[in-house]
Amino acid sequence: MKIKNKTAETHYRLYGSLGSPYSLKMRAALRYRRLPFVWIQEFLAATKLARQHGLPPLVPLMQFPDGSYHNDSSKLLSKLESHHPLARSLIPEHPGLAFLAYLLEDFADEWGTKLMFLHRWHAQAEQELLSRWLAFDNGIGSGEKALEQFSKMLKERQISRMPLVGCTPENQALLARHYAQLIDILNRHVRDHGAFLLGDRPSLAEFALFGQLSQLASDPQPRDQMIEAAPYCHRWLNHVDDLSGHEPANWLAQPDQVPAAVSELLNMIGKIHLPFLVANALALEQGRATLEVPMDGEIYRQAPFSYQGKCWLQLKDRFAQLDACNKSELRPLLERTNCWAHLQ
């Protein structure tokens, strides 16, 4: 007689990696939402399973209780909202604030990953240590020779991807400043105003920011920088990692109530992220090999990236779905932060 796997029938199975910001984003979100799940730290098994089910070989990968497999953290969170709409939702009730949550999530996922990738792979000392850590995560007990071989392969693969992500020597100083700016904004907010950005409860934004910063807070060089320059931000990440005991209260009522930190983050988005997304979409449309975006008195350059073209279409679609009243409520904030014109 075949015994059914009861855990698979009643729990989600989250396959991920400690070195994956999107995996830790999903793990923290599941913890907060108190959804039953098991965490499976098996990157190679996850990529194999993903291929078997016709998905990109990426983590996090989730098996739903019905047995189906899905990946992409943003899509996973969206599916969970539709499956569990009343269970500690991550999307504010006000449509305008919900759009801000999606916008902040996209900024963290798509621009924040550049900051993480740069600090992880640009210096030789980081390359050596982090490639060994990641190899160990997927080969505990396999012996030094096997670990060193896997480490070498990982290091070469990730370094080769740096130009694709935009983490080039020419962009290094610019991205380093963005990291310092981001952790300073969050440090002042959590020190003086509270743990969350859009009310007395976490949204998509906090978990996306946590995902990227969780890596920067553990990789040696950016960790030391965060501890020295933004110690409260560093400690805040430990809180966001497990908010299962937090009882959600209220969302903000209107976009004009957002704290200064949200305005500052939107300023970054309006000056950095949205211009990049627009230039990326144009480069993809025109079939160009390189895009260029003026930023902070410099020129940011990289090859266009198709996934971020899809992100831009989704953001524009979410904005277009807002009614005239919601757009009117958002407009002063988005105009003040250089976002409005890009979204039209």
Side-chain angles (χ1 to χ4, degrees):
M1 178 185 296
K2 184 176 181 181
I3 300 175
K4 292 184 178 180
N5 185 336
K6 294 295 184 182
T7 300
E9 292 178 356
T10 59
H11 287 59
Y12 292 91
R13 296 171 68 84
L14 177 63
Y15 294 82
S17 167
L18 294 175
S20 159
Y22 304 104
S23 296
L24 297 197
K25 169 189 174 184
M26 281 304 306
R27 190 177 70 173
L30 286 165
R31 284 171 171 169
Y32 167 70
R33 298 203 66 193
R34 296 177 182 168
L35 298 177
F37 78 101
V38 291
W39 163 250
I40 304 169
Q41 157 64 27
E42 291 184 10
F43 173 80
L44 295 178
T47 55
K48 182 178 179 180
L49 269 173
R51 287 192 181 95
Q52 290 173 353
H53 291 272
L55 298 169
L58 303 170
V59 292
L61 174 72
M62 276 184 64
Q63 183 184 17
F64 280 47
D66 64 4
S68 63
Y69 287 84
H70 309 269
N71 59 10
D72 187 315
S73 66
S74 296
K75 292 178 181 178
L76 289 171
L77 290 179
S78 179
K79 288 180 182 294
L80 291 177
E81 289 287 339
S82 63
H83 282 63
H84 308 280
L86 302 179
R88 300 160 68 88
S89 172
L90 304 182
I91 301 175
E93 295 165 358
H94 187 286
L97 290 168
F99 175 76
L100 293 182
Y102 284 115
L103 180 57
L104 290 164
E105 180 197 24
D106 192 74
F107 169 64
D109 282 352
E110 305 305 323
W111 197 264
T113 198
K114 298 179 187 300
L115 313 184
M116 184 279 295
F117 210 84
L118 173 79
H119 286 85
R120 176 166 285 180
W121 299 110
H122 85 281
Q124 185 175 354
E126 306 293 313
Q127 295 168 3
E128 297 296 334
L129 177 61
L130 272 300
S131 61
R132 287 189 170 98
W133 280 4
L134 296 174
F136 177 78
D137 289 345
N138 294 284
I140 297 174
S142 58
E144 183 176 13
K145 183 177 179 180
L147 288 174
E148 288 298 313
Q149 289 176 340
F150 193 24
S151 170
K152 183 175 183 291
M153 183 273 291
L154 284 171
K155 180 174 66 175
E156 291 174 351
R157 179 182 182 275
Q158 296 301 81
I159 292 172
S160 73
R161 289 176 56 83
M162 291 185 75
L164 178 65
V165 185
C167 297
T168 61
E170 293 77 15
N171 294 331
Q172 180 178 337
L174 189 66
L175 295 175
R177 289 200 299 273
H178 294 163
Y179 172 56
Q181 185 178 355
L182 176 60
I183 61 176
D184 175 62
I185 292 170
L186 292 172
N187 190 67
R188 286 184 282 109
H189 177 76
V190 300
R191 180 192 66 198
D192 298 336
H193 299 287
F196 310 119
L197 295 166
L198 300 174
D200 297 319
R201 55 192 296 173
S203 70
L204 299 168
E206 283 83 5
F207 292 109
L209 289 164
F210 164 77
Q212 303 300 330
L213 292 174
S214 68
Q215 306 303 303
L216 289 152
S218 63
D219 296 358
Q221 185 275 319
R223 176 198 63 202
D224 292 348
Q225 181 180 346
M226 191 187 298
I227 288 172
E228 180 176 354
Y232 301 108
C233 174
H234 188 273
R235 193 60 173 174
W236 172 72
L237 297 171
N238 295 117
H239 290 260
V240 179
D241 188 34
D242 191 345
L243 288 168
S244 57
H246 177 75
E247 296 300 337
N250 298 318
W251 298 109
L252 298 177
Q254 298 288 339
D256 62 6
Q257 297 176 342
V258 298
V262 171
S263 293
E264 291 184 71
L265 290 171
L266 290 174
N267 267 321
M268 291 188 72
I269 291 170
K271 292 178 180 178
I272 297 167
H273 187 50
L274 292 182
F276 164 75
L277 290 178
V278 171
N280 183 68
L282 187 60
L284 289 169
E285 180 182 335
Q286 296 176 347
R288 290 191 278 112
T290 305
L291 63 92
E292 296 184 352
V293 190
M295 288 182 192
D296 300 341
E298 300 182 31
I299 300 295
Y300 175 88
R301 295 181 178 87
Q302 76 162 79
F305 197 57
S306 60
Y307 181 82
Q308 289 164 342
K310 297 175 183 177
C311 294
W312 176 229
L313 292 176
Q314 290 171 353
L315 277 177
K316 288 202 300 181
D317 185 56
R318 290 191 189 282
F319 186 73
Q321 289 178 26
L322 294 173
D323 64 27
C325 180
N326 295 142
K327 287 182 180 178
S328 178
E329 290 172 338
L330 277 173
R331 184 166 185 166
L333 175 62
L334 295 179
E335 282 190 332
R336 190 168 66 248
T337 55
N338 304 297
C339 295
W340 179 262
H342 294 298
L343 291 164
Q344 294 305 298

